[in-house]
Amino acid sequence: MIRVLLVDDQPLIRSGFRALLDAEDDIEVVAEAGDGREGLALAREHLPDVALVDVQMPVLDGIGTTRRIAGDPALAGVRVVILTNYGLDAYVFEALRAGAAGFLVKDVLPEDFLHAVRVAARGDALLAPSITRRLIARYVAQPHPDAAPSRELARLTTREREAVALVARGLSTAEVAERMVISPLTAKTHVNRAMTKLHARDRAQLVVLAYESGLVTPRDP
């Protein structure tokens, strides 16, 4: 059973998402919160698999909430998916930097919404949609004080670097395996080892690090 926490200051939005989620046999909404501070407390209480967090909220916004969840070892199993009305905006990319597993625009189709929750619950980042790749390409090229230094990449083997670069271009594990002519299990191992060496919480942060360190640029084919 996938356990979900809803954090949004609009009750109507929460009720709509709850109705969709509770109708599924494998998903359960364990709690709802109207602001980030309450959401953080409920995350610690219920330890959900996925926290759906609105990016703009009173008291504590989605970026702050994401950063606190990602920084709490007790919440290491919680995957944050940011909800936004605006699609490509700086807030969303800052949330990815803070540790979010991905983001969804609130007018997403119901079937895509449910698929995204399941993807996040199994530990994959929501990076496949082209809108996410455009967002990363747009914002990651800008200088940022928290950018990962290039020396971090020296910890990676050649094959790990290759796998990370392919993931950063939006390829799935199966596509990475096909491109590298290896098994999907070996591709996943390369990616997981790179995440460990670079201290990346998930694939979303791995992609951010790949761009910020210069391993991949928005102009790369």
Side-chain angles (χ1 to χ4, degrees):
M1 183 68 71
I2 300 172
R3 306 171 75 253
V4 176
L5 167 66
L6 296 174
V7 187
D8 195 300
D9 63 332
Q10 300 179 59
L12 187 60
I13 293 292
R14 294 201 310 270
S15 64
F17 285 151
R18 175 183 276 276
L20 278 174
L21 294 168
D22 282 344
E24 300 298 303
D25 293 336
D26 61 333
I27 302 176
E28 173 190 12
V29 176
V30 296
E32 296 182 27
D35 62 65
R37 183 178 297 170
E38 181 185 9
L40 183 61
L42 289 173
R44 289 168 174 159
E45 178 182 350
H46 294 279
L47 298 178
D49 301 300
V50 177
L52 299 173
V53 179
D54 185 22
V55 71
Q56 293 183 316
M57 296 182 294
V59 185
L60 181 64
D61 66 15
I63 296 172
T65 303
T66 299
R67 186 174 291 112
R68 295 190 187 189
I69 289 176
D72 188 340
L75 300 178
V78 180
R79 301 297 177 186
V80 177
V81 175
I82 289 293
L83 302 172
T84 176
N85 289 315
Y86 310 108
L88 293 174
D89 61 43
Y91 294 109
V92 173
F93 187 72
E94 286 304 313
L96 289 175
R97 290 183 190 272
F103 79 98
L104 289 171
V105 180
K106 289 185 180 180
D107 62 359
V108 64
L109 293 174
E111 57 268 29
D112 292 337
F113 172 72
L114 294 170
H115 174 70
V117 170
R118 293 184 175 102
V119 167
R122 66 175 181 251
D124 293 335
L126 304 178
L127 296 173
S130 60
I131 189 172
T132 305
R133 292 197 294 271
R134 291 201 306 272
L135 180 140
I136 290 172
R138 177 175 175 181
Y139 289 104
V140 82
Q142 300 177 8
H144 192 278
D146 296 330
S150 297
R151 66 174 179 272
E152 294 292 322
L153 295 178
R155 301 177 183 178
L156 305 183
T157 66
T158 300
R159 295 297 266 172
E160 288 166 355
R161 287 166 62 99
E162 184 179 354
V164 170
L166 292 172
V167 168
R169 296 185 182 109
L171 274 65
S172 66
T173 299
E175 291 168 334
V176 170
E178 182 179 0
R179 187 71 65 86
M180 295 179 66
V181 195
I182 55 178
S183 71
L185 179 59
T186 301
K188 185 175 182 179
T189 298
H190 285 322
V191 173
N192 288 344
R193 285 177 177 170
M195 287 171 55
T196 299
K197 291 178 180 180
L198 297 176
H199 307 291
R201 177 181 172 89
D202 54 30
R203 289 193 178 201
Q205 285 201 318
L206 190 64
V207 170
V208 170
L209 290 170
Y211 277 94
E212 289 184 331
S213 65
L215 178 62
V216 178
T217 69
R219 295 184 179 86
D220 281 348

